[in-house]
Amino acid sequence: MKRTLIRNIGCLQTPTGSYSHKGSKQGANEKYADAAIVIEDGVISQITEGGKLPEGPFDEEIDAEGNLVTPGLVDGHTHLIFGGYRQHEIAMKLAGADYLDILRAGGGILDTVRKTREASVEELYGKAYAFLDEMMGFGVTSCEAKSGYGLDRENELKMLQVIHALDENHPMDVTATFMGAHAVPPEYEGRGDEYIRMCCEELMPEIRERGLAEFCDIFCEDSVFNAGQSRTYLEKAAELGFGLKIHADEIEAIGGSQLAGELEAASAEHLIAIEEEGMDAMAAGGTTAMLLPATSFYLDKTYAPARRMVEKSIPVAIASDFNPGSCPSLNLQFAINLGSLKYKLTPEEVLTAVTINPACACGKGDQTGTLEVGKQADLVIWDAPDFEMVCYRFGSNLAKHVMKKGVMMK
């Protein structure tokens, strides 16, 4: 058994418990001064504070040098697997085209679909592996990854196989989400209902049987899939045993957030345009709000009403939404900055939003998201004295050391 000691922790700050935190508990963090952590075979076995050092011997000792230590960050919403990039859309956006304008013109998601279909498994795997390395360098130790740029059987399965291989081979824990209903593919133009039936009757059962995804997601939005189509898709997913996620109320409130609450979805994503009725439904259904502030920043849109969601006792999570079109950034630290500055969340609420709440929304809350005895030793030693500094500083990577399951990655 390998025993590791991390000592001289100036402040150890963490949420506690293996459940989604909401309302007043959104900002409930424990803070231990002059702390130490003992790790045995990748799992936390002891935490001390007040300068008390656990008994040795230890195979490895790490000096935190008086810095802040938090749980490893959890990025609960990414579109990690894609072919090509979409930097050419910048000129279109500067000329006034919005997200749906670009999509209707055959660009946006459909442009990435073409490039993803052309890419080999090896190309997609190598590209995404490098992305995971970069994410881990920013302090992310677990993430979610969606399919959705294949939009047919062959290429959706190809994407999910890549995600499965990454989860097996990369130190990062990667949760797979099937998002075949990301857009209506060109070959089904004008036949959205037929495409949804294909996803439900052909793709979902095969994906479930092969164990290639844990969740299903759909883009419920104007000009994409309506609330009725989303209901059909998600009810079939639930019947097959998948966890539920939904892109909802990003541009128009067309019933996605109400559906999320009614079906008790694990999370609803974006929620920029959510209304009171949708928030009430999500609160009643225990659905986590997976908020994506860097997307609002990149698209120059308004920000989701995070403060109101906390007031309504909706668990709030913050994720990157890394994708090639609406958020070409995987820097979750930047989303942390925006969570503080634009959502008006306290540093404690933000830490919960990037650790235990997304961990629970990805089905991993019993393994990671907090620093407690029995949890994986997924943690970050920051080049900062407190989490206020992490929220305050932007444009610099403050993750000094990153540990995954007791192994130092950076």
Side-chain angles (χ1 to χ4, degrees), residues 36 48 51-52 60 69 134 208 269 283-284 313 376 380:
T48 62
K52 180 181 178 181
E60 179 184 31
V69 171
E134 187 177 353
R208 188 63 177 168
E269 333 283 292
S313 290
Q376 290 176 180
V380 183

Side-chain angles (χ1 to χ4, degrees), residues 70-109:
T70 71
L73 307 183
V74 180
D75 193 338
H77 180 129
T78 80
H79 299 266
L80 187 71
I81 315 298
F82 58 86
Y85 290 95
R86 302 217 304 261
Q87 68 270 29
H88 58 281
E89 291 181 1
I90 291 177
M92 300 170 68
K93 292 172 181 174
L94 291 175
D98 65 17
Y99 183 87
L100 292 180
D101 292 331
I102 294 170
L103 179 62
R104 294 186 190 106
I109 290 173

Side-chain angles (χ1 to χ4, degrees), residues 93 293-295 298-299 320-330:
K93 292 172 181 174
T295 304
Y298 188 73
L299 297 179
S320 71
D321 191 24
F322 175 53
N323 73 82
S326 59
C327 189
S329 171
L330 48 69

